[in-house]
Amino acid sequence: MAVTIKDVAALAGVSPSTVSRTCKDHPSISRETKEKVRRAMAELGYEPNIQQAPAGQPAQLISVILPPSSKDVYENAFYLEAIRGISQFCNGREYISAVVTGKDEREILQAVRTLAKDERMGGFLMLYSKQDDAVVDYLYNEGLLYVMIGKTKQYANQTVYIDNDNLLAGQEATEYLYQLGHRRIAYVGSEYAMYYSADRKEGYQHALLGHGLALNPDYCIEADRLSLDECGQFQKLLEQENRPTAVVASDDILAVALERTCIRLGLSVPADLSIVSFNNSLLARITSPQLTSIDVNSFQLGMEAASQLINHIENPNLLATKIIVPHSMVVRGSCRQIAPA
């Protein structure tokens, strides 16, 4: 089995990131530590795949990794706003940001491997977090510096991440609908592997159980890359005999698809169905009625992620940080008060 950077780190008694910085001859690593790491590399026969940068030359490039997708990720305003925040912060610190994505995980991984060999590469920014991510496995096992937007369970104690309290946000969205009199509240989310959607759904469930309401599995939809033209699941939800009177949607895109289904079925928002969504994107403001939406501050998430990555590039001995960016609800016309059933 091939020797990994983790094997070298274990033998040398240092972290994988220290081994990675030794390979780059980073000036922040002491001469004694470098010698200890290099002895371990020689003993194990480890060949680094990262080119050495000249001593004292700072990294000037960071890679922004989008989730694998053939198309729909580019339609989501969350990623565009996060990238805007990243770019603004990087410009101020004279770092260059490069965007990486691909149609699947394998394609992204290949691009990351190639970029990791660039002597200017300082680290990676992941704009998503999901279960069993091979890209995260590679970054961690190779000792490459990365920061994640979203909560992670892989290597959680060693990972720098920036996130919202999505569980609380899902709970607050559901509680808002409950206070308006709704008792039949559904949840529409992205694929469950995405941690943000899983947390929002859990918050939704906590709110219902906190009011003694039963969890109805027919009221929960997890759509894998649902497009605006594929609304069969929504139609099934809204054609139930005891259909929901309100929905929490984990993204404005899903909420718009839900509105379109309502129009097709002759239902009105909010007269027949109230909707609370997430991201407070342009879509939330141009629909009719405009959507009540949870603003997760995507721009600030990007700014904070870039700030943390550059701080760790320039100060390699910093501990892994967890930062929670606050959210807020923007109330518009997609919800109405009803008499509790």
Side-chain angles (χ1 to χ4, degrees):
M1 188 169 62
V3 177
T4 70
I5 203 168
K6 288 176 64 179
D7 299 323
V8 176
L11 181 60
V14 298
S15 68
S17 61
T18 297
V19 177
S20 177
R21 286 168 175 76
T22 298
C23 293
K24 295 180 179 180
D25 201 22
H26 199 289
S28 66
I29 307 300
S30 69
R31 184 182 63 184
E32 293 77 14
T33 299
K34 288 178 181 176
E35 290 175 352
K36 181 168 58 173
V37 170
R38 287 165 182 159
R39 285 196 300 269
M41 290 167 62
E43 182 177 336
L44 294 173
Y46 176 73
E47 293 291 336
N49 69 349
I50 303 172
Q51 298 175 13
Q52 290 188 358
Q57 177 178 310
Q60 295 178 320
L61 177 65
I62 65 172
S63 289
V64 181
I65 304 175
L66 291 167
S69 171
S70 57
K71 186 184 72 168
D72 60 315
V73 69
Y74 307 108
E75 298 172 346
N76 193 322
F78 169 83
Y79 299 113
L80 297 177
E81 275 296 288
I83 290 172
R84 189 170 71 88
I86 291 165
S87 297
Q88 182 167 312
F89 192 88
C90 287
N91 291 343
R93 297 287 287 269
E94 298 185 346
Y95 277 73
I96 299 169
S97 56
V99 175
V100 177
T101 190
K103 66 178 181 294
D104 54 34
E105 200 170 65
R106 184 178 64 177
E107 193 171 289
I108 292 176
L109 192 53
Q110 182 56 48
V112 169
R113 287 193 178 107
T114 300
L115 285 164
K117 298 175 183 178
D118 192 316
E119 63 183 17
R120 301 168 301 160
M121 181 56 59
F124 297 83
L125 264 176
M126 297 195 65
L127 297 197
Y128 68 98
S129 61
K130 69 182 187 70
Q131 297 176 18
D132 304 321
D133 193 326
V135 177
V136 172
D137 284 336
Y138 173 79
L139 293 173
Y140 179 80
N141 290 329
E142 289 299 317
L144 299 169
L145 178 62
Y146 68 95
V147 169
M148 179 173 288
I149 291 182
K151 184 177 68 177
T152 182
K153 295 182 181 177
Q154 288 172 271
Y155 324 113
N157 290 334
Q158 292 81 38
T159 300
V160 182
Y161 69 79
I162 320 298
D163 199 12
N164 307 111
D165 189 337
N166 284 299
L167 192 151
L168 178 62
Q171 190 167 347
E172 288 177 352
T174 311
E175 181 67 28
Y176 175 73
L177 291 169
Y178 182 89
Q179 294 303 325
L180 289 177
H182 297 279
R183 300 297 181 263
R184 302 198 304 273
I185 306 171
Y187 177 82
V188 173
S190 304
E191 55 182 315
Y192 195 74
M194 291 294 188
Y195 285 131
Y196 74 88
S197 186
D199 280 354
R200 290 170 189 173
K201 179 182 177 182
E202 187 176 350
Y204 153 83
Q205 292 173 329
H206 282 185
L208 294 183
L209 292 174
H211 289 292
L213 299 177
L215 302 180
N216 183 347
D218 293 334
Y219 280 5
C220 288
I221 295 176
E222 285 156 6
D224 185 359
R225 300 187 179 96
L226 182 75
S227 79
L228 296 183
D229 298 320
E230 297 169 356
C231 303
Q233 292 170 287
F234 291 168
Q235 183 166 335
K236 183 178 178 181
L237 173 70
L238 298 178
E239 286 183 334
Q240 295 181 43
E241 182 178 350
N242 208 26
R243 64 172 177 80
T245 62
V247 175
V248 175
S250 73
D251 187 277
D252 291 337
I253 295 174
L254 296 175
V256 169
L258 193 60
E259 282 191 335
R260 288 179 53 144
T261 305
C262 286
I263 293 171
R264 191 162 57 249
L265 296 178
L267 301 175
S268 174
V269 176
D272 299 305
L273 186 74
S274 291
I275 302 174
V276 175
S277 63
F278 278 79
N279 289 345
N280 192 34
S281 66
L282 176 62
L283 287 176
R285 302 191 296 276
I286 64 174
T287 56
S288 182
Q290 293 182 322
L291 290 168
T292 293
S293 188
I294 305 289
D295 192 335
V296 299
N297 293 306
S298 320
F299 178 82
Q300 188 65 31
L301 285 167
M303 288 275 287
E304 292 288 351
S307 171
Q308 286 300 312
L309 181 59
I310 291 173
N311 284 344
H312 279 77
I313 290 171
E314 298 178 353
N315 304 279
N317 295 321
L318 291 177
L319 296 176
T321 317
K322 327 296 180 191
I323 294 177
I324 300 298
V325 172
H327 61 269
S328 60
M329 181 182 292
V330 180
V331 176
R332 298 193 180 94
S334 63
C335 301
R336 78 177 185 101
Q337 184 93 35
I338 68 170

